[in-house]
Amino acid sequence: MKRTRLHKPPSKEGLVAKEPVTVYCRVRPTPSSSNEGISCIRISPPSHVRLLPPPSALSRKEYQYTFRKVFEESAGQKDVFEEVALPLVQNLLNGRNSLLFTYGVTGSGKTYTMTGTLRDGGIMPRCLDAIFDSIASCQAKRCTFKPDRLNWFEIQPDGIDAEADLYSRIAQNRVKRLEKKNSDPDIAQRVKEEVRQLPVNDDFNYAVFVTYVEIYNNSVFDLLDDIYDENSRIRPPQTKIVREDSNHNMFVHGVNELEVGSTDEAFEAYFYGQKRRRIAQTALNAESSRSHSIFTIRLVHAPLNEQGDGVDPDPKHMIVSQLALVDLAGSERTNRTKNTGMRLKEAGNINNSLLTLRVCLELLRENQNGANKIIPYRDSRLTHLFRNFFDGDGQVSMIICISPVVEECDETMQVLKFAEMAQEVSTSVHTPIRVNLGTPKRRKAIQAYEFEDLLNGEAKENVGLPVPEPLPILFDSLPDLRFFSMEDEDMLSYSKRVIKNGLEELENAQQNLRFDSMLESISNTARRAYKALNDLTEQERLNVLEKEKVASLENKCCQLESQNLNMKRKIEETESQVKRLKHDLILKDSIINRKTRELEKVKDEIPNKMAQAQQKLSQEHEKKLKTERSAWESELKQQKSRMRTARQVLRGAGDASDPKEGNALPSYVTPMRSRIPPSASAESIPNSVARGGNGTGFSGTGVVGARAALFNGGGSTHVFEAPGTGSTNTPRPTSRKMGIAVSNKRHRRSRSAGNDVWLEHRPVHEVPLNTIMQPNLPKRKSVTKLTDAKDVTEKTSKYCLMTQNADSDGDLETRLYKGDVIPTSGGGAQVMFNDVEVLRQYSPSDTSPSRKTPRQIREDLEAACAQSSDANQRKFLSRERRYYEV
Ligand SMILES: Nc1ncnc2c1ncn2[C@@H]1O[C@H](COP(=O)(O)OP(=O)(O)OP(=O)(O)O)[C@@H](O)[C@H]1O
């Protein structure tokens, strides 16, 4: 027995290509328990899936995701296998590593997709079928390769040796030692569907090894570990550690790696492990995986030796590739699963490890875009074990399993988002260089040689040259004297008798023999010999022709083969280009999707931001406006005071004839002035009225009833001329002035009733007016002094205060200050003055030149007022306009 020494795995030589993580999406059929007919998924074949949030969702926005391919609910296991896994099996046969995992919410069909059922197998059994069908003619003798338990293999070129055989027997026994239960799946019932046979290099011998581990609560367990200890007692599962081999590949240290010779053997191993896998019933899945399971198929192949009856013993020529099939446990939300206790702890661990996987992929993507972040592989056993794949040795594919159930819409969205992001990560795929031992197609050549030998042997037996007629057998009953003793007298006498009989017959034949018949026989034989010679010559000629034909055909074949090779190369190039373009497309699609989502998010935020900005702006404007207004008001106040001064100056000009007397009346009004009582002075007018008293009464000729409406709007007085009318319905600006008593306006009596009772407050020494027009106070109570509060509070709704005084020209000026009586909340009343009527009487006989006519006075005042208020108003308006334009 020849054995190779322990050998370090060869360093990675060969072609290295960058491949993106390939993501497929499979939608499971709607479970019968869910809201029938309502689905939150719409598929646009072949690669788009749209998520429609249910009516109850906060946001009703639809999202579209793009993947390499989306499998509809009606897609079968075969469709998924051929599209997703068959290329990975081809990778394995070509010596490349691949990782395929199923990812999704609990109950979305991950285990169904990966394992399937006995009648309708999933990816795993179909992969095994494809592998064994493809390597059928080149399978190595059992135990040609032996795992060294350090993630590599030793070669035993003679095949089975005692130790390896023992190992194999233990491995087989381990599978068989599990008692069969009635509930166990019967592998014989497995339905094997026809799978496509993939091309393999038949100058190599192949062997298949499997391992089956689970990651439960962040600990690794070997599912193929022996259940029993040496004393045949069941032993608890042992945790394994994840280690790095000498070639920096991660592996589970001490894991049982079984050599399997067929799919059924691999299935036995799988079911053995499956019994030990942690599965439990939850609210969402009757058989929910509580752990991540990893079924690894390793294909070991080495070139044939020169004789073609075994493998080349040089371990450097050995190639090991692996296909890891990972069935991840489903992410779950406790509010839906209602898990407690152990199940809750498991769910926490599952979610944590999935989160780590997500984070690692996100950081890998960032690093590929120029960042330089540390990837936290060690945060979870799952990512730690698959570090090689992500860091660059093997193709990574992922199947996202989603359910159309509306209740899962939220979680499904998270899964789809993650998957779309994962597509942007690329991993390196290494294709090893296969050694060329000098004789390609050696296995075929050896087989062809053996076949030729076989044919030649048969041909020799059948060569048909004429054989002379057999002579009559004269002595056929003579026994073989070598086997008898010379002392055996019976045998000797019997033999003598036989020989004598034979000689007699010979003598008879000699007498019958004639020369002619002998000649004829010789000439016949010669004729037949000549014919055979001619036939042989003809055959030789035909052979030469045939050989020429074969040579020309071989030439043609060579040409066609080279053309074929060229075509194949071109097809491969085109395919890889198409693949690259497809990936670019998917990448761009997903980037566009992401960007669109970000844009929509930004769009959503714009109105809010605009509203905030506007609010801020308007607050600032209001502030500015306030300051401007207060500045303007103070300016207005100054203007007013200036106007007051101007008015006083005007008044002073009117009294210039008698500066000492101040308000002294000219002599021609003496009779009239004498009628004015000293008590009816301006000081007796209430403050508000006094302020409003600066409003100007406009006089016509003779006695003119001029109406002046007084408003307490912001301290300003507005004068509206309405000659000859006594209307009090003039519009008023609202008062904002501080200091005015608070009144309860709801108690204000309606004027529409026309039943207002006036309280007329007359001067004690009233000068009779004697004018044609008299104040119109239809229902009135007259008093000269306010002594009783009831006068005001009871029944009275209007108040009129009459004052009489001499004006600046010495004429009699009667003022009627009118207002509403408004009850106060304390039970009293207050008067809100809102109108003043000025009656002025003057003598038409006064013709002094210094005296200004009423028209002149009015025009002067009007001009002064207009000038100041116009200027201020324009200024204010222009400022306001400016603010609003902003
Ligand atoms: N495509 C499908 N066609 C038919 N049945 C399906 C399909 N996908 C899932 N199912 C059924 O749905 C149920 C749950 O599926 P499965 O156990 O594979 O979910 P899971 O994602 O592995 O859940 P968990 O993460 O909890 O292990 C099973 O009964 C399975 O047969």
Side-chain angles (χ1 to χ4, degrees), residues 657-670:
S657 57
D658 192 0
K660 282 178 193 166
E661 285 293 316
N663 285 336
L665 300 173
S667 56
Y668 57 85
V669 294
T670 310

Side-chain angles (χ1 to χ4, degrees), residues 26 28-29 105-112 285 287-289 329-330:
R26 184 179 197 184
R28 64 156 292 177
V105 179
T106 179
S108 56
K110 297 179 293 299
T111 311
Y112 180 83
N285 191 356
E287 285 189 7
S288 176
S289 315

Side-chain angles (χ1 to χ4, degrees), residues 26-29 72-73 75 77 104-113 117 277 280 282 284-290 327-332 401:
R26 184 179 197 184
V27 184
R28 64 156 292 177
E72 295 181 63
E73 298 177 15
Q77 300 277 53
V105 179
T106 179
S108 56
K110 297 179 293 299
T111 311
Y112 180 83
T113 303
T117 59
R277 194 179 168 195
T282 65
L284 299 179
N285 191 356
E287 285 189 7
S288 176
S289 315
R290 312 310 296 160
D327 177 16
L328 292 179
S331 58
E332 49 188 54
C401 294

Side-chain angles (χ1 to χ4, degrees), residues 540-550:
E540 251 179 8
R541 195 183 62 81
L542 287 175
N543 278 355
V544 170
L545 285 176
E546 207 62 34
K547 270 184 188 164
E548 279 170 4
K549 262 190 197 171
V550 168

Side-chain angles (χ1 to χ4, degrees), residues 696-706 721 840 842 853-855 857-858:
T696 313
F698 301 118
S699 57
T701 52
V703 177
V704 176
E721 189 181 5
R840 197 178 280 170
Y842 71 91
T853 64
R855 177 179 289 276
I857 293 167
R858 197 184 77 180

Side-chain angles (χ1 to χ4, degrees), residues 3 93 101 119 148 297 344 470 474 479-480 502 531 634 637 665 669 687 720 791-792 794:
R3 282 193 57 183
L93 296 173
F101 57 91
R119 302 214 160 273
D148 65 359
I297 306 169
L344 191 64
L474 301 176
D480 194 339
K531 190 174 177 291
S634 68
K637 263 184 198 164
L665 300 173
V669 294
N687 260 353
F720 298 90
D791 286 341
V792 185
E794 278 186 4

